[in-house]
Amino acid sequence: MQDLERKIELFNRTVIVGRNPDGAAGMLQLLLQSTNIKKFLELAELTQWQLALSQLGAPTEMTQLEVWAQQQPNPAPCQFDLFDREVADWWEHHQVRQALQVGFSNLEQAGMPIETWGYGYVMRCGDDILMPDLYVGKPDPNRTHEYHYDGPAELIVEVLKSDSRDYDCTQQLAMYQKHRAAEIWLIDPSKKHVETFSREGNGLYQRRVENQVLESKSLPFRLNISALFDPQNKNNPLEPTLEMPTHKRSHATNPELGWNWVTELQITPEPQHVTTNIFMTFVPEVKFEGSNQKLEVGGGGWKTTKELLQLLMFALGLKKTLALLSMPDLVDGLKKYE
């Protein structure tokens, strides 16, 4: 099993997996294929499963239901591919992002008052939950929580690659601008340049393209662009533009981590909007691993896999979930469920 695009976000109360709304259905289908059907069915009330089946025209009597299930076509594979199978520029994307991550970390350790985050640490902007490739902010214990940062950060960075370029340059960019991020970098390894958007005093964004030296408009450092794209370069492509005092990284002590926990989800046949509190309660660590034809989510085994299943079933609804299941397997699971 190859690496998935390790990103789960919340845009306008819609769950986005792998930079595409269809990715939610693709992820759910992968989880269904690697999950015990009985354990999976227990995530929603039996009455809701029965209601969803009836809305699809299924009979209620078990013997008739078994016959009906045998007549249903097998679920079609999800058309959205969650895997980075043919992305030739993946390694270059990884190298650039890694060089920046290390570079920002070195500036931090040298005393620059910044904090840097990447995959696995979400940025909360109002009701939207975003996960840029990298983002940099000023130290603020009231914004930095154990699992998320109250954004937007001062600088947001996306490293472009072929399979996500259009998305990053349209929907993702629009979302960052909607939340009034001070500065956005779109780094293009194929063109060896950086497209930047900085918010001016009038609230509008000024666009510029740099291919040599880029000085941040919001934070005290500059980027040597040619050094960033040079795989032989061992020096930090980032350098400070001001002398800054040292700082100590700290986190907020809010026991609720900035949101209210949701104790349970009422999963119904129809899709439901996902609120910020639901997302922050049920979204797992953004990590997917597969072994022995079984998909695991995060570091918590079945617990985090179950949480993601619940979130996706809630967002997509049981009727869409049924379309991803083999009906004979479903009915067999329902018999054991009862």
Side-chain angles (χ1 to χ4, degrees):
M1 179 176 287
Q2 299 187 28
D3 285 342
L4 296 167
E5 174 72 64
R6 296 189 296 172
K7 178 174 285 204
I8 304 178
E9 298 181 298
L10 186 69
F11 278 16
N12 299 324
R13 303 176 74 187
T14 299
V15 176
I16 308 292
V17 178
R19 301 178 181 272
N20 192 302
D22 292 340
M27 174 57 71
L28 179 57
Q29 189 171 53
L30 281 174
L31 291 169
L32 295 178
Q33 292 170 352
S34 64
T35 303
N36 178 284
I37 188 69
K38 183 175 181 296
K39 290 172 68 176
F40 163 69
L41 290 172
E42 290 172 351
L43 301 180
E45 294 180 359
L46 179 59
T47 54
Q48 295 297 325
W49 284 114
Q50 293 169 332
L51 179 60
L53 282 167
S54 69
Q55 291 178 356
L56 294 177
T60 56
E61 199 275 323
M62 181 56 71
T63 302
Q64 295 178 344
L65 182 60
E66 288 179 314
V67 174
W68 177 85
Q70 293 292 337
Q71 297 171 344
Q72 303 309 303
N74 290 327
C78 180
Q79 296 303 306
F80 180 71
D81 188 2
L82 285 166
F83 298 93
D84 287 334
R85 295 186 189 281
E86 304 296 335
V87 184
D89 52 0
W90 178 88
W91 178 244
E92 194 170 22
H93 172 275
H94 170 77
Q95 286 181 310
V96 169
R97 187 167 61 84
Q98 186 72 8
L100 286 171
Q101 182 87 58
V102 173
F104 283 126
S105 177
N106 287 341
L107 290 181
E108 222 180 306
Q109 293 175 17
M112 181 172 288
I114 60 171
E115 293 184 344
T116 310
W117 303 273
Y119 279 148
Y121 196 82
V122 299
M123 182 175 70
R124 176 177 176 175
C125 295
D127 291 333
D128 297 314
I129 308 294
L130 312 174
M131 194 179 295
D133 282 338
L134 290 170
Y135 57 102
V136 187
K138 297 175 182 177
D140 185 344
N142 294 317
R143 298 174 69 186
T144 308
H145 303 275
E146 186 174 354
Y147 299 115
H148 80 277
Y149 178 83
D150 285 325
E154 277 68 29
L155 171 65
I156 294 173
V157 180
E158 292 287 358
V159 183
L160 305 181
K161 55 186 172 66
S162 56
D163 66 332
S164 59
R165 177 186 303 274
D166 290 344
Y167 185 81
D168 284 339
C169 295
T170 55
Q171 287 106 312
Q172 200 84 6
L173 175 62
M175 186 62 67
Y176 298 147
Q177 292 181 339
K178 166 190 167 183
H179 291 290
R180 301 174 62 81
E183 188 172 2
I184 306 157
W185 291 0
L186 300 180
I187 299 179
D188 193 334
S190 66
K191 296 180 179 179
K192 302 293 189 289
H193 73 212
V194 182
E195 186 177 9
T196 77
F197 298 83
S198 53
R199 188 161 55 85
E200 303 299 306
N202 58 8
L204 300 177
Y205 280 91
Q206 180 184 23
R207 175 186 175 274
R208 57 196 171 114
V209 177
E210 300 285 355
N211 55 20
Q212 295 183 0
V213 176
L214 170 59
E215 187 161 334
S216 171
K217 296 286 188 179
S218 58
L219 294 168
F221 51 72
R222 66 173 63 92
L223 172 66
N224 182 327
I225 296 174
S226 60
L228 175 66
F229 295 128
D230 181 3
Q232 305 303 317
N233 176 53
K234 302 302 180 182
N235 298 318
N236 191 349
L238 295 158
E239 61 180 24
T241 55
L242 291 175
E243 291 291 333
M244 289 293 176
T246 59
H247 76 285
K248 182 179 180 181
R249 183 167 181 156
S250 59
H251 298 288
T253 57
N254 182 351
E256 293 185 346
L257 304 177
W259 71 90
N260 296 317
W261 292 98
V262 177
T263 56
E264 61 179 315
L265 290 180
Q266 180 68 26
I267 301 172
T268 63
E270 302 298 334
Q272 299 181 72
H273 286 302
V274 178
T275 65
T276 307
N277 290 342
I278 288 173
F279 188 92
M280 295 299 283
T281 301
F282 284 86
V283 73
E285 177 187 351
V286 185
K287 180 181 180 182
F288 311 106
E289 293 183 345
S291 61
N292 298 324
Q293 298 186 354
K294 182 179 181 181
L295 184 64
E296 292 286 359
V297 178
W302 168 244
K303 179 182 180 296
T304 47
T305 301
K306 179 177 72 173
E307 287 170 351
L308 181 56
L309 272 169
Q310 289 176 299
L311 180 71
L312 295 176
M313 289 164 59
F314 182 87
L316 297 173
L318 293 183
K319 285 201 297 187
K320 188 161 188 177
T321 301
L322 287 170
L324 304 175
L325 280 168
S326 163
M327 286 298 178
D329 291 342
L330 172 76
V331 173
D332 184 56
L334 287 172
K335 287 164 61 178
K336 296 175 182 177
Y337 192 172
E338 293 180 309

